[in-house]
Structures are given as structure tokens and as C-alpha cells.
Amino acid sequence: MLKVLLVDDEAPILNNLKAIIPWKEMNMQVLTARSGQEALGLFDIHNPDIILCDIRMPVMDGLTLVGQLRDKGSTAEIILLTGYQEFEYARAGIKYKVRDYICKPIHYKELENNIRTIGEQIVQTRLKDPFQQKVSRIQETEDDQTVRKNPQQLMAEAARYITDKLDKDLGIEELAGYLGISCSYFSMLFKNHLGMTFVEYVTSKRVEAAKYLLAHSEKSITQIGSGIGYHERRYFTKVFQRHTGMTPSEFRDQAKNVSAI
């Protein structure tokens, strides 16, 4: 299932996009954000495949958001929603590899067709990836205990499983068993597909979730740590500081100062 992030500061537009476009039929999961900052937090946790973003938003406009997403390594297909038709937008869009522009008022059927086409292209590109073909051949040696799934599906399931259980003690054996594949195959597939080891990935997701919660919730640091799998505050602080250069308290204070500007 592909992930789609909708970003617009106007709630009615977000609601219309969610309601009118047949996301489930297109096998897409929808996330929404009312600001650029919120969108960055959701990107860190979910890494969406497609992003629909309004250009004119307060505090952080759409092009600034797109630039920051690209700096973070996002390869998502991006569609910009705008009521303005200006060359500067088009030029900036080329720089950030924006896929398309949709002018307001939105023609929803046209937008649906564009998204459907983009989604199909993403799936086909992944299926043609040489690495995907290689691991598919390796997978044929696995015991046929479950319905055969391609590597993309397996890693999507793994990522969702990790996201859903960040507060639990996670291990390769548990996740490989859940997917119905061997630990060695899982480790090889995970490293090649996601570019890091299982432990590195889980830690990075926990830290990103912690950053989002520290900036957007009133939960205590102990509660946040426990909610992402670190039940000792001291250890949570140590891991968080190693990855961000700040303690959770320092990060929260900085986030409050930025939002107050």
C-alpha cells in the first residue's frame, strides 16, 4: 500500500481530498498535515510515496517544505496545489523535481487520474528494480509457508509492523517469523532495501517519533520514552542525545522557541 501525504492549512480542502479521491480503491493510505512543520514530522515517521502540498501556507510555504523534504532525502512524487500560475513557482518546481501542478479550484477527477498514474508508475518501477529481481530469486529457496509476497510487500509490512510496535521489544526473529521468512533472508533484504540494519532502523524511527511527540504533545519525557520502547528515562536520554546532539528537554525547549517565533 502506497502512502500519500496531503498538506494544506485549509481543513475543508483536506477533507474534500480525503473524501472525494478513492484512495482505498487505489491501494493508498492517506495522511494529512495542516502545516509544513507537521508534514515534516509525519515524513520522518512514515516516509510517504506521494505528497500533495499547497504552495501558499503560513509560516512555511509549500516550496520551502519541498526543499526541506528533498534535503532529508525524500524521493516522493510531489504534486503542488496552487491558485497561482507564476514562472517562479515552475522554476522552483523543476529544481525540486516536482511532478505536477494542480491549480485551484481543484478538478478532482483530473487529480485522481494523475495520482492513479503516478501510483502505478511507482509500483512498476519498484518491480523492475534489479535488486528486487535478485531477492525474488533468493526468496524462491524459502520454505513455502505463506502466500508468496514480493520484497516490496515484505518490507512495507515490516515497516508497518515496526511503526505499530515501537513501544515493544522488537527483534529480527520476531519480525522474520511474522513475515514467514528466515532471519538471514530478512536481514539481507532489510539492509539492502532500507540502507541500514534492523537495529539502526528501529532506533531511528524511535528517535524521529520522539522528536515529533516532544514538539507536538504535552506528554512528559518519561511517557514519551516509554511510548517508543525506552522504559528507563536515563537510557532514552542517552540514545536521543547520541542521535540529535541534544537531550529531550533541550530539544523540546528549542521546538517551543521555534514555534513561538
Side-chain angles (χ1 to χ4, degrees):
M1 179 174 286
L2 299 179
K3 291 184 179 180
V4 180
L5 175 59
L6 311 177
V7 190
D8 200 302
D9 60 305
E10 298 183 48
I13 292 178
L14 285 180
N15 292 335
N16 285 342
L17 286 170
K18 285 184 66 177
I20 296 175
I21 305 295
W23 303 107
K24 288 186 177 180
E25 176 196 321
M26 295 189 292
N27 199 30
M28 296 181 183
Q29 175 188 354
V30 178
L31 309 163
T32 61
R34 294 283 301 278
S35 69
Q37 196 65 38
E38 185 181 1
L40 288 174
L42 289 172
F43 166 78
D44 288 337
I45 297 172
H46 298 284
N47 192 17
D49 304 288
I50 301 172
I51 299 172
L52 277 72
C53 178
D54 188 22
I55 285 184
R56 290 294 181 95
M57 296 186 294
V59 183
M60 182 187 294
D61 64 46
L63 289 176
T64 301
L65 169 61
V66 170
Q68 292 197 25
L69 288 170
R70 292 308 192 208
D71 289 342
K72 283 174 169 282
S74 173
T75 58
E77 296 287 1
I78 296 175
I79 300 174
L80 290 177
L81 306 176
T82 178
Y84 304 86
Q85 293 180 329
E86 299 179 10
F87 176 70
E88 286 302 316
Y89 289 155
R91 185 164 63 183
I94 293 172
K95 175 182 177 183
Y96 295 128
K97 298 182 180 179
V98 169
R99 176 64 178 261
D100 201 359
Y101 287 85
I102 297 293
C103 293
K104 296 179 179 179
I106 299 170
H107 188 298
Y108 287 98
K109 190 61 181 177
E110 176 186 347
L111 178 58
E112 176 191 334
N113 291 337
N114 286 358
I115 294 170
R116 191 183 296 275
T117 298
I118 291 170
E120 291 172 352
Q121 290 174 352
I122 291 173
V123 172
Q124 289 302 315
T125 297
R126 291 175 179 174
L127 290 175
K128 293 177 182 178
D129 190 320
F131 170 72
Q132 304 288 2
Q133 297 174 10
K134 176 183 176 182
V135 294
S136 291
R137 289 194 297 270
I138 295 174
Q139 188 179 23
E140 291 175 1
T141 65
E142 293 289 314
D143 291 336
D144 198 6
Q145 299 173 346
T146 58
V147 175
R148 199 76 75 182
K149 296 177 181 177
N150 65 43
Q152 179 64 31
Q153 291 172 319
L154 288 170
M155 289 301 96
E157 278 195 42
R160 284 195 295 270
Y161 190 90
I162 291 169
T163 299
D164 291 341
K165 295 184 179 292
L166 282 179
D167 61 327
K168 309 296 183 183
D169 290 329
L170 291 169
I172 289 176
E173 294 82 0
E174 174 187 346
L175 198 41
Y178 171 75
L179 296 173
I181 58 179
S182 70
C183 292
S184 59
Y185 176 60
F186 172 83
S187 297
M188 184 277 293
L189 184 61
F190 198 95
K191 179 67 181 292
N192 281 278
H193 188 84
L194 296 171
M196 62 184 78
T197 67
F198 172 75
V199 172
E200 290 170 341
Y201 180 84
V202 172
T203 301
S204 70
K205 288 301 177 184
R206 284 175 168 163
V207 170
E208 294 303 331
K211 288 164 64 176
Y212 182 78
L213 291 170
L214 286 166
H216 296 89
S217 81
E218 298 300 321
K219 290 183 177 180
S220 70
I221 291 172
T222 299
Q223 288 175 319
I224 290 173
S226 180
I228 58 170
Y230 298 117
H231 301 291
E232 291 186 11
R233 174 165 173 164
R234 184 180 302 175
Y235 183 64
F236 168 47
T237 298
K238 180 180 179 180
V239 173
F240 188 89
Q241 189 168 22
R242 185 169 69 244
H243 282 77
T244 66
M246 292 180 282
T247 66
S249 297
E250 290 169 343
F251 182 88
R252 172 168 270 173
D253 290 340
Q254 184 184 80
K256 287 181 178 179
N257 291 334
V258 171
S259 63
I261 296 176

